[in-house]
Structure formats: structure tokens, C-alpha cells
Amino acid sequence: KMADPRMAARAVPKRHRAAALAYFGGLATATAIALDEWLDLRKWRTARHVLTTPVSVDMKLHTRVRAAEGEAGQGCVDWPAGRVLLQWAVDGGVPLRHGSVLEVGAGVGVTSIGLALAASCSSEAGGGGGSDGDPTRVLATDVCDSALANLHRNAAENEAPALLRVERWDAAGGTEAVRRLSRLVDPRTLTHVIGADIVSVPIGSG
């Protein structure tokens, strides 16, 4: 069934719609608007983060992630705390070698992706606390379907190294969560468990 161009056109400001109609013609404009609505193109934006890394890495760390503009779930929002956590991690909060990191509620992946990229670059440069030792590995977890799908996409878009794994894990799952985690990583090898903006309280809950 063909989309009603009148319904689709309501989402576009009148001045933009009029200009498009004048330039492209009615049918082409209606088709473009309907396609835009179907693909949810305006519900997402690209968030770019550039961080200055320590001398041991000696590079500017660039990450680009897709984040939600609308109601796509909290896990798809580019929360500022994720960037702050990443800066803390690469500033020495997390070693770029000999580490095993679990991020709880990774969301769009700014922290996990950036940390994996920094660890990989540190390994290639021979920095990060010495020339020996394996680079730090990162396990990014979340429980929300939309967040996990977006996290996988962002990892691929940033060409994240094999140091990064993305898995479903619910930290609130009690004993089952512990069993599930042991299937993903040996908990005894973890050196850091990190997370940002992973606790929220509904408004009016007291």
C-alpha cells in the first residue's frame, strides 16, 4: 500500500515543502518525504567526540556514534557522562594494557568503543605503560534490544578492533546474571567494571 503523501508531508515545515515542490515536482517530493518517514532518518543524529589522549598514546581519539533524537529508548541517547567516563579512562583511570574491562549499560558505545580504540593504538605505538603485555580488552554490555543493535552498528562504523566485544547482559538478573557473565568472561580476570548514567529514577517516584 502506497503511503499517503499528504500525511507524510505534514512532518516537513511548509517553507521547505513548498521549495521542494517547486524544484522537484509533486510526485518526487512526496516519494522522498514518505521514504524519509519510513526510514526514520530524522530520528537519529551523528554525535562526534574528539578527545586528547595521554602521551603514551599520542593521538586524538575520534569516535562517531549514532544517537537517538526521539523516543528510541534511554540506551540510544548520547549521554554526556559517557564521554566523561571515556576521558577518565584514557587519562589513566583504566590501563591500556593488561586490562579486562566490563562496561555495564554501554548504550551508544562512546566509552567502550573509544577505550578499545585507544588500547589498540597504544599497542601499535608500543606505549601505555611499557612495550610488553596484551592491550586491554573491553566487554560492552546492555540489555535493551534497540541499544544493542545500535551499539553493534556504532562499533562497525568506528572499525572497532577485536579488543571490543558487544554482548547482552542484565546486571540486575541476580544469580542468573552471575552465571551468564561467567559464560561471557572469566570474572576473575576482570580488572575494571565501569558504567555511566546506568541508574535512573522515574519522575514523581519519590
Side-chain angles (χ1 to χ4, degrees), residues 103-199:
E103 183 179 10
V104 180
V108 297
V110 170
T111 304
S112 285
I113 293 171
L115 183 56
L117 290 171
S120 177
C121 291
S122 173
S123 176
E124 293 172 1
S131 59
D132 60 340
D134 295 329
T136 291
R137 294 185 173 275
V138 183
L139 175 61
T141 66
D142 212 298
V143 69
C144 173
D145 289 335
S146 57
L148 285 165
N150 191 49
L151 180 52
H152 276 289
R153 174 193 173 107
N154 287 336
E157 287 290 323
N158 284 273
E159 299 182 352
L163 300 173
L164 174 68
R165 286 172 54 207
V166 176
E167 298 284 353
R168 174 187 296 278
W169 186 62
D170 185 359
T175 55
E176 177 55 33
V178 176
R179 286 194 291 266
R180 167 67 174 158
L181 180 62
S182 65
R183 292 193 290 268
L184 298 176
V185 64
D186 184 350
R188 296 171 297 181
T189 66
L190 289 174
T191 59
H192 295 74
V193 178
I194 61 176
D197 271 343
I198 55 177
V199 177

Side-chain angles (χ1 to χ4, degrees), residues 27-50:
L27 180 60
T29 300
T31 301
I33 292 172
L35 184 62
D36 177 55
E37 288 292 314
W38 181 57
L39 294 176
D40 291 337
L41 296 179
R42 285 176 284 110
K43 294 181 181 179
W44 298 90
R45 66 182 177 86
T46 298
R48 292 175 172 83
H49 297 279
V50 181

Side-chain angles (χ1 to χ4, degrees), residues 65-80:
V65 296
R66 189 178 79 149
E69 286 283 10
E71 297 296 328
Q74 289 184 328
C76 293
V77 176
D78 182 33
W79 299 107

